[in-house]
Amino acid sequence: GWKDVIRTTIINFNNEKMQITWAGRELFPGENVSFSYTFDEGKHKVWKPCPTYLLDQDYNSGCLFKTEGPTLAISIRNSNGSEELFSKSLKSDFFIKPNRPENVTFFWKEDTVTVSCNKPEGAVKCLRLELQYKSKFDKEWQSRTSKCCSVGEQGFDPRKCYSFRVRLKRLVPYCNVVNYSSDWEAETFWMNGTLLDSCDDDIKSQSNTVIVLSCLLAVLLVILTFLILLCKWQRLQKSVMPAIPDPKYMFADLFNEHNGNFQEWIDKTDHAVVQTKLEYEEQECIIEAESQQDEKNSDKQGPREKIFTFSGAAENNDPKAAQIACLMPTSNTIASFAGFQILMNDDMYVML
C-alpha cells in the first residue's frame, strides 16, 4: 500500500540534470531505501543505481543524476533491493526548470525600460521572461511578463530609484505539468538610466544635498548677521568718536588746482569772495543822523519812505542815532519780529 502514498518531487534542471526527492525518513522509518532509474523504453530496460544520494539525517531522501532522454522511469526499493516499494514513469520534458537568464541588459528611455537577455538553447517558445520592479516607495513587487527574451514597461519616474529582477518561466500546461521558473537574476538598482549600487545611495545623495544646502544657508545667515553688526558698530563708533574731517576733501581745490600752494589758493579765494560779495550786495538802507533837517527830508519823501530810530542806539544816548529806512511794498500793518518792530504800509516794510 506504500505505492499509493509516496509523493515525489521531480525537477529537470534545464534538461541537464534530474533531481528526484521523497520523504524517506517519514515514509520508511528505520530503513534506508535504494533508488534506480532508466531512460530506456520497452522491455529491455537497463536500470542504473543512483550516483548521488540526497540525505535527510542519514536517510536517503533523494537522488541527483544526469538527464539522458525525454522518458524516465524510476524505482524505489528496500535497502537490499529485493522488494520494490515505489515505481513511476514520466516525461522528463514536463518537469524542466530553466536556468537564470544570461547577459541581461537594461535600456532606459524617458519613462520606458526594456530588459532583454540571451535566448537559451531548446524550446524558446515554452519560455517567458518575467520582469519585477519596485521603487523605494513601493511595498510589493510589480510584475510584467513577455515572450522570451525581451520585456518592456512604461511609467517609470526618472526621479525615483527602482529595484529590478528578472527570471525565465515555463508555460503551464502546454510545456510543463509543474509551474517551474528559474531563479531570480541578481537584483539591480537603476535611476534614470544610471546603474547604482543600491537605492540607499540615492537616499544618501539626497541627504548629502540637504546637508550642503543647510550649511550654505547657515553661512549666509552668519554673513548677514556680521554685516548688520558691522553697520551698527560703525554707527556707534561715529556717534561716540566723530570722524575728524579731512582737509583734503574740504579744500579740494587747494590740492587739486593749486597743488597745495596755500598762498596762491588764498589770493584767488579772496578775489572770488570779494566778487561774490559785490554781486550779492543787498539793497542799501539809508542811515542818517537824527536832526530837524532829516525829519523835513523824510516828510518830503512821502508815504514810500519812513525813518525810524534804532532802539539800541537810542538806549545808549548816541547823539547821532542811526536811522534805517528800507523801501518795500507793504500794507498798513505793525508787527514785531526778534525784538524789532516792523511797520508795514502799502508799499514799504520798515524794521526798527
Side-chain angles (χ1 to χ4, degrees), residues 19 22 27 41 45 113 147 164 193 210 217 225 230 236 244 248 259 292 295 302 331 349:
Q19 176 179 289
W22 59 89
L27 294 174
E41 298 182 18
K45 296 180 180 180
V113 175
K147 294 181 179 181
F164 292 93
V210 172
L217 182 60
T225 305
L230 182 60
L236 180 62
I244 300 174
K248 180 177 180 181
N259 296 324
Q292 297 265 339
E295 290 178 358
S331 62
Y349 285 105

Side-chain angles (χ1 to χ4, degrees), residues 70-133:
T71 303
L72 173 65
I74 60 175
S75 176
I76 298 177
R77 297 176 174 269
N78 57 6
S79 57
N80 57 16
S82 59
E83 181 183 0
E84 187 177 72
L85 304 178
F86 175 77
S87 64
K88 186 176 183 179
S89 296
L90 53 96
K91 290 287 185 179
S92 60
D93 293 344
F94 288 164
F95 297 88
I96 294 179
K97 179 179 180 179
N99 289 337
R100 294 178 179 178
E102 297 179 353
N103 295 331
V104 179
T105 58
F106 286 80
F107 180 72
W108 190 309
K109 184 178 181 181
E110 297 179 353
D111 67 337
T112 303
V113 175
T114 303
V115 184
S116 58
C117 66
N118 290 349
K119 290 184 178 181
E121 297 180 359
V124 179
K125 294 181 179 180
C126 291
L127 295 175
R128 294 292 181 268
L129 183 62
E130 182 182 7
L131 169 67
Q132 285 191 350
Y133 59 90

Side-chain angles (χ1 to χ4, degrees), residues 6 27 54 70-71 73 137 175 217 238 249 255 268 272 283 310:
I6 294 179
L27 294 174
L54 303 177
T71 303
F137 303 102
C175 300
L217 182 60
K238 288 181 180 180
Y249 300 100
F255 296 96
K268 188 173 181 180
Q283 181 179 0
F310 186 72

Side-chain angles (χ1 to χ4, degrees), residues 306-326:
K306 200 72 176 177
I307 303 174
F308 295 89
T309 302
F310 186 72
S311 61
E315 290 176 0
N316 294 330
N317 297 319
D318 189 350
K320 296 181 179 180
Q323 294 178 347
I324 304 173
C326 297

Side-chain angles (χ1 to χ4, degrees), residues 166-182:
V166 292
R167 66 180 179 180
L168 291 173
K169 299 179 64 175
R170 290 274 293 185
L171 287 177
V172 177
Y174 305 103
C175 300
N176 263 31
V177 294
V178 182
N179 188 12
Y180 281 149
S181 302
S182 70

